[in-house]
Amino acid sequence: MNGRLAGLARMLDGINAAAAWVARWSVLLMLAIGFWNVVGRYVGSAIGINLSSNGLIEAQWYLFDLIFLLGLGWTLQKNGHVRVDVLQSRWSARRRDRQELRSLLLLLLPFAFGVMALSMAPALRAWSIGEMSPDPGGLPRTWLKSLIPVGFLLLGLQGVAESLRLRWKLMHGDEPSDNQHPAQGEKDL
């Protein structure tokens, strides 16, 4: 693959790997908050003090959203998204690659960038009004609504990286030698 395109694909892989790192640590934080919410509910009930809150419960939900949305692009990078394997298992490798490229260009990229574009206005509105949870003691909704366009941007960017690699492979008949795909050699996050 030409140097610039290989560098672009590597950079997009790196962005999604960094997002996945944040998502991975968010899993642990979400589990810790969930554990506290359960323990706090029972211990608090036993001692007569409320040890949980709407903010902690919402923090769990927000972290789940963060994990899901920041993991979209990384899941594509690791080839973890659902495909129709019943059909693809009967195709040649070249036909699978062509279909994968068409799917990325005609379905995934328009969908990812479309959701990103449509979700920008609600996110910006949430910031402009300082949107908060309607529940007492709840958290701001601004960060949560901002994760939607960010997550789909990451998915779209990874779709671009995968498209560049597939286009190279289809044009030259092999994997790009100067851009080892992270799934082929780097340690998984």
Side-chain angles (χ1 to χ4, degrees):
M1 186 181 299
N2 104 17
R4 283 190 219 174
L5 293 179
L8 175 62
R10 276 193 305 271
M11 181 186 72
L12 297 175
D13 288 340
I15 290 169
N16 273 295
W21 184 86
V22 171
R24 168 178 277 159
W25 286 102
S26 297
V27 169
L28 293 176
L29 184 57
M30 181 187 71
L31 291 172
I33 291 171
F35 178 78
W36 176 256
N37 282 333
V38 170
V39 169
R41 186 176 314 128
Y42 290 107
V43 171
S45 175
I47 63 173
I49 300 172
N50 186 7
L51 297 177
S52 188
S53 70
N54 283 338
L56 286 173
I57 293 168
E58 286 184 7
Q60 246 184 295
W61 299 343
Y62 289 15
L63 286 166
F64 177 79
D65 294 341
L66 183 137
I67 294 161
F68 175 79
L69 290 165
L70 292 187
L72 286 172
W74 185 77
T75 303
L76 179 62
Q77 185 183 113
K78 297 300 177 185
N79 206 16
H81 284 277
V82 175
R83 290 181 173 74
V84 184
D85 293 333
V86 173
L87 298 175
Q88 290 185 352
S89 65
R90 300 175 190 186
W91 295 345
S92 68
R94 184 160 179 82
R95 184 174 180 191
R96 270 193 309 272
D97 289 344
R98 273 191 257 135
Q99 183 57 41
E100 180 76 12
L101 182 60
R102 278 192 294 268
S103 297
L104 286 167
L105 296 174
L106 299 174
L107 299 172
L108 185 126
L109 292 177
F111 174 74
F113 290 128
V115 171
M116 183 197 75
L118 291 172
S119 63
M120 290 290 290
L124 292 172
R125 173 126 172 86
W127 281 98
S128 72
I129 64 172
E131 187 175 348
M132 293 291 294
S133 169
D135 297 321
L139 300 175
R141 294 265 168 103
T142 51
W143 294 102
L144 182 65
K145 288 193 175 183
S146 298
L147 281 174
I148 299 168
V150 169
F152 281 92
L153 172 64
L154 291 169
L155 177 62
L157 292 176
Q158 191 61 45
V160 169
E162 299 303 318
S163 297
L164 290 172
R165 272 190 279 280
L166 278 170
R167 183 65 183 139
W168 176 268
K169 185 177 177 184
L170 287 167
M171 287 175 59
H172 297 90
D174 62 351
E175 293 289 332
S177 59
D178 62 340
N179 180 26
Q180 186 175 1
H181 192 281
Q184 295 171 346
E186 289 183 13
K187 181 180 174 188
D188 283 347
L189 291 175

